Amino acid sequence: MIEENEFIMLILCLAILVRLLTNYERLQKIPYNTSLLLSFVAFFAATAATICEGYLLPDILNLTEHLLYLVSAVLLTFWLRSFFKYYEGGAGSR
């Protein structure tokens, strides 16, 4: 059974993912952008796993969902650390 909040989250994530993919050239200018984008893809996959767990393999997909949220958080943390080190080192100063 799909809950409304999970469905709305999936729609919002899908809209943001489409927006990210259509503006990929602009995102290339962000330092360490791969970690940032992979973080969002993992978040989107976790949201999709939330919906799917209501229909098949609930235990496995629930575990997958939470592992993907963990991966997303770790990748975002890595990106933030790298991003601020990049600018702290003077590379972004002009």
Side-chain angles (χ1 to χ4, degrees), residues 3-71:
E3 294 190 27
E4 294 85 14
N5 62 335
E6 294 173 347
F7 184 70
I8 291 170
M9 187 68 159
L10 182 67
I11 298 299
L12 289 173
C13 283
L14 184 61
I16 292 169
L17 185 62
V18 168
R19 178 81 171 158
L20 288 174
L21 293 176
T22 57
N23 289 311
Y24 188 70
E25 296 97 27
R26 292 177 69 194
L27 292 173
Q28 291 291 1
K29 298 175 184 174
I30 299 173
Y32 305 100
N33 60 8
T34 304
S35 298
L36 179 62
L37 293 174
L38 285 176
S39 172
F40 185 77
V41 169
F43 188 83
F44 174 74
T47 305
T50 302
I51 299 290
C52 293
E53 79 182 28
Y55 295 103
L56 64 133
L57 306 170
D59 294 333
I60 293 172
L61 286 174
N62 188 42
L63 177 64
T64 302
E65 169 199 354
H66 289 93
L67 288 175
L68 285 168
Y69 282 134
L70 174 67
V71 167

